[in-house]
Amino acid sequence: MTNNLKNTRPIVIAGPCSAESRIQVLAIATALKGHAHYFRAGLWKPRTRPNSFEGVGEEGLKWLVDVQKEVGLPVMTEVADAKHVELALKHGLDAVWIGARTTVSPFAVQNIADALKGTGTPVLVKNPMHADLKLWMGAIERVSHSTKGEVYALHRGFSSYGLKKYRNAPMWEVPIGLKAEMPDIQLFCDPSHISGKRELIQSVSQKAMDLGMSGLMLETHHNPSEALSDAAQQLLPSDLIQLLDNLTIRDLNLDLSQTSDIRDLRLKMDSIDEQLVELLSGRMNVARAIGDYKKEHGLTVLQLARWKEIIKTRRVWSEEVGLEEEFLKLVLEQVHKESIRIQTEILNSEH
Ligand code: PEP
Ligand code: MN
């Protein structure tokens, strides 16, 4: 980013998920002035399902130019193809980012890299949707080989089917792995897309700071519940200011450019345990649904034949991955006990 931000941490990029109107963009940017260093707004929105709001497109570029001129904040948007890059450059945007759905495709990234050839525009490369470190590195390399501008890595978490605490599991060991492989690349974090809901954004931002990341990208909207995309994860500008105020920025006693095997392993262990807890909670929700079914159909809670089948199939699975049989049996017994407790509670409840 610009040189005068060299000693600033976190560098704050804030703004709406999507630009919706000139008035909206200017209202948010005005509220963020003095707190954010860059203004973000998506113009071309990659949506999971068709018929969702797909962004205002080219029209929004002049609103971003108005933010530069009238509010005095540098601006950035997401580019997903060469045409977007061409338009962003033509309008003099200050930086661009590549989204997670684009990073998964080396062809798409190469086209963007080619369009950026020789320019000095800074680029933030989000991680791909899934936890593939090499794919993320490859995208950063493609862009770095082409542009003369700074290239940054932007961690936005990883899609994980069925796990629900986060919209995208942080798996902190992946960005740390990237830092170990590419020590010169500065890391940014996007707690909004990791969290998916407002309540988690503070703690995710704090974790990113504790890991020594350089900056945060935080989705901010003047009327979040009415936002045309990502309504549940956008913060009011006043909440963003409070969040930044609440952050504790510690001295970087852990130098991320130094590899530390024990730190990396602990991060990995934390991340696996967090997923284990979520999986266990998911399993209990299924036990609850089965409990409702049993109650409705007058079945007993303990079905012996089913328990025997569980023990048998899980024994085979544990053998396949080399887990001690006795250990697995103990774990399963506790899990089963809790399921039975939940279902007995359901059976004894009034409705
Ligand atoms: C965004 O930043 O609004 C966005 C679409 O993010 P991601 O690519 O991380 O899903
Ligand atoms: Mn978004």
Side-chain angles (χ1 to χ4, degrees):
M1 306 274 169
T2 49
N3 271 341
N4 57 355
L5 291 177
K6 265 215 167 84
N7 296 317
T8 306
R9 201 168 78 88
I11 296 171
V12 178
I13 304 163
C17 178
S18 303
E20 297 169 9
S21 68
R22 183 175 184 277
I23 289 177
Q24 174 242 20
V25 162
L26 284 171
I28 301 169
T30 305
L32 289 172
K33 172 86 176 166
H35 302 281
H37 304 101
Y38 276 81
F39 183 76
R40 65 148 279 160
L43 302 177
W44 300 279
K45 299 305 296 179
R47 304 310 300 276
T48 304
R49 309 280 302 272
N51 304 323
S52 314
F53 172 65
E54 291 188 324
V56 295
E58 209 172 323
E59 189 190 358
L61 284 161
K62 50 182 189 296
W63 308 337
L64 293 182
V65 173
D66 289 342
V67 169
Q68 284 174 325
K69 296 214 175 102
E70 291 177 26
V71 185
L73 270 179
V75 296
M76 62 170 77
T77 196
E78 174 174 345
V79 289
D81 61 31
K83 177 84 185 151
H84 297 164
V85 174
E86 200 185 293
L87 286 166
L89 294 175
K90 193 172 113 195
H91 285 80
L93 301 201
D94 300 282
V96 295
W97 80 84
I98 298 178
R101 290 161 191 78
T102 306
T103 308
V104 293
S105 164
F107 287 135
V109 173
Q110 191 59 54
N111 286 339
I112 292 171
D114 292 345
L116 284 162
K117 196 165 187 64
T119 68
T121 309
V123 184
L124 292 105
V125 181
K126 288 205 184 195
N127 62 258
M129 296 292 283
H130 58 290
D132 184 334
L133 179 54
K134 292 252 158 44
L135 198 55
W136 195 5
M137 288 170 60
I140 293 169
E141 283 160 355
R142 285 175 199 280
V143 176
S144 305
H145 291 163
S146 190
T147 173
K148 292 204 185 95
E150 293 282 350
V151 180
Y152 302 89
L154 177 48
H155 168 230
R156 51 79 77 198
F158 305 92
S159 169
S160 54
Y161 186 76
L163 298 183
K164 281 287 163 280
K165 178 175 173 188
Y166 299 101
R167 178 178 177 195
N168 292 291
M171 303 174 84
W172 297 102
E173 71 274 20
V174 181
I176 297 303
L178 181 93
K179 193 72 193 172
E181 297 280 340
M182 300 180 128
D184 296 333
I185 297 289
Q186 277 187 54
L187 268 173
F188 278 64
C189 184
D190 171 349
S192 308
H193 286 89
I194 290 176
S195 305
K197 43 185 164 310
R198 278 178 275 285
E199 308 79 81
L200 292 175
I201 299 177
Q202 179 85 56
S203 62
V204 171
S205 303
Q206 184 63 55
K207 179 83 179 177
M209 288 299 97
D210 293 347
L211 289 174
M213 295 199 185
S214 304
L216 300 170
M217 178 185 263
L218 292 156
E219 286 191 339
T220 319
H221 197 285
H222 66 315
N223 188 1
S225 57
E226 297 294 316
L228 297 181
S229 57
D230 288 351
Q233 70 190 32
Q234 302 207 54
L235 298 170
L236 278 170
S238 55
D239 290 339
L240 173 103
I241 294 164
Q242 185 64 53
L243 179 148
L244 294 173
D245 212 44
N246 291 344
L247 286 176
T248 307
I249 309 297
R250 299 181 178 91
D251 278 348
L252 284 184
N253 51 2
L254 55 107
D255 179 355
L256 286 177
S257 60
Q258 307 259 290
T259 47
S260 159
D261 292 344
I262 186 81
R263 182 197 64 212
D264 294 356
L265 289 170
R266 281 184 178 147
L267 274 167
K268 198 173 234 167
M269 184 175 272
D270 286 349
S271 163
I272 290 174
D273 284 354
E274 196 165 22
Q275 292 172 63
L276 258 181
V277 169
E278 273 195 73
L279 282 171
L280 281 172
S281 139
R283 193 197 195 276
M284 292 313 155
N285 287 338
V286 175
R288 227 165 255 125
I290 294 178
D292 289 338
Y293 181 92
K294 285 177 177 168
K295 181 171 184 173
E296 205 176 304
H297 293 82
L299 299 171
T300 57
V301 166
L302 185 62
Q303 307 257 312
L304 259 183
R306 169 67 180 151
W307 174 238
K308 279 189 185 146
E309 180 200 320
I310 287 185
I311 293 287
K312 203 166 116 198
T313 49
R314 277 53 168 181
R315 184 181 298 144
V316 175
W317 297 346
S318 61
E319 253 174 45
E320 283 169 2
V321 293
L323 271 183
E324 201 54 50
E325 192 181 321
E326 190 52 30
F327 163 69
L328 187 86
K329 200 164 150 243
L330 285 172
V331 172
L332 278 182
E333 271 167 10
Q334 291 309 312
V335 170
H336 187 242
K337 213 165 124 188
E338 178 62 2
S339 298
I340 296 286
R341 190 193 64 75
I342 288 173
Q343 295 187 356
T344 309
E345 212 172 77
I346 291 175
L347 221 65
N348 294 334
S349 66
E350 292 288 312
H351 302 289

